Amino acid sequence: MVDLRSKIHGAGATQAVNLVVMAFHDRFASDAEGAVTAHYLDARVHPGDRRAPGQTSLALVSKKGARSTTGFANSARYTPLQLASIEQAAADNVTDLTDASGKVIGRAFGVRADLLINSGDVVVNTKTLAPTELSVGEDADGRDIRAQITDSVAAARRARDAARALVSESAGDALARR
């Protein structure tokens, strides 16, 4: 889960966060009549946001196993009206999410919003939604937004692991000198 503590990012770390909100077609709940009652959205800090560098996860909700309250990894529950607000705020900053065969499996929306805690999950405050200037489309290298997120997280993990290795090496050197 992304770390947005103010001691790391300064005051207002959870305000005006640039986000990628992914709505997959198969992540919803419906009532007995088939009306959609909830969408399970996967929201991530946009890899271009000032808070993204160094983060080993950009997900607002930590990945959960089979005991997940939503049943979907990295997803939190939003109402159909909240999803509509996200769609409206994103305007044309939207892209289709496809699987390996090219089939559209969802949509990604780029928005800016404050974050809240709801039932232990960090969620998008849909009352503070605004457009973001950070695109959810392909970047200059042709990578889709999910690949951009993956690359940002991988770079942070490599940096973290290199720093840990350096600390371990330094500690070993110090012991050898004793």
Side-chain angles (χ1 to χ4, degrees):
M1 184 166 104
V2 68
D3 186 352
L4 295 173
R5 291 178 291 176
S6 61
K7 74 178 187 177
I8 294 172
H9 299 287
T14 60
Q15 296 173 337
V17 180
N18 294 294
L19 301 163
V20 177
V21 180
M22 294 178 279
F24 293 93
H25 295 324
D26 64 348
R27 294 185 182 183
F28 65 90
S30 54
D31 62 17
E33 288 79 42
V36 174
T37 58
H39 294 276
Y40 298 101
L41 305 179
D42 182 345
R44 313 264 174 136
V45 172
H46 193 288
D49 186 87
R50 71 172 178 85
R51 291 152 278 230
Q55 294 290 331
T56 57
S57 173
L58 295 176
L60 297 187
V61 176
S62 62
K63 185 173 183 176
K64 298 177 182 177
R67 303 181 127 200
S68 168
T69 57
T70 67
F72 302 104
N74 302 318
S75 296
R77 184 182 181 103
Y78 293 83
T79 68
L81 288 175
Q82 289 173 314
L83 176 56
S85 295
I86 291 167
E87 291 172 335
Q88 182 179 5
D92 63 350
N93 193 5
V94 178
T95 192
D96 287 336
L97 300 172
T98 57
D99 64 11
S101 69
K103 178 182 173 191
V104 176
I105 58 171
R107 300 187 84 197
F109 304 94
V111 295
R112 189 177 69 233
D114 298 341
L115 302 176
L116 301 169
I117 304 292
N118 182 26
S119 301
D121 291 334
V122 178
V123 296
V124 177
N125 181 347
T126 56
K127 294 179 178 162
T128 64
L129 287 165
T132 178
E133 293 183 13
L134 300 177
S135 174
V136 294
E138 290 184 351
D139 66 5
D141 297 324
R143 297 174 304 159
D144 74 3
I145 192 64
R146 290 177 293 172
Q148 294 171 50
I149 290 168
T150 299
D151 291 350
S152 176
V153 167
R157 289 180 179 163
R158 283 191 304 273
R160 177 200 62 199
D161 293 346
R164 285 181 180 167
L166 187 59
V167 167
S168 293
E169 185 177 305
S170 295
D173 290 346
L175 284 175
R177 282 182 258 156
R178 286 185 176 188

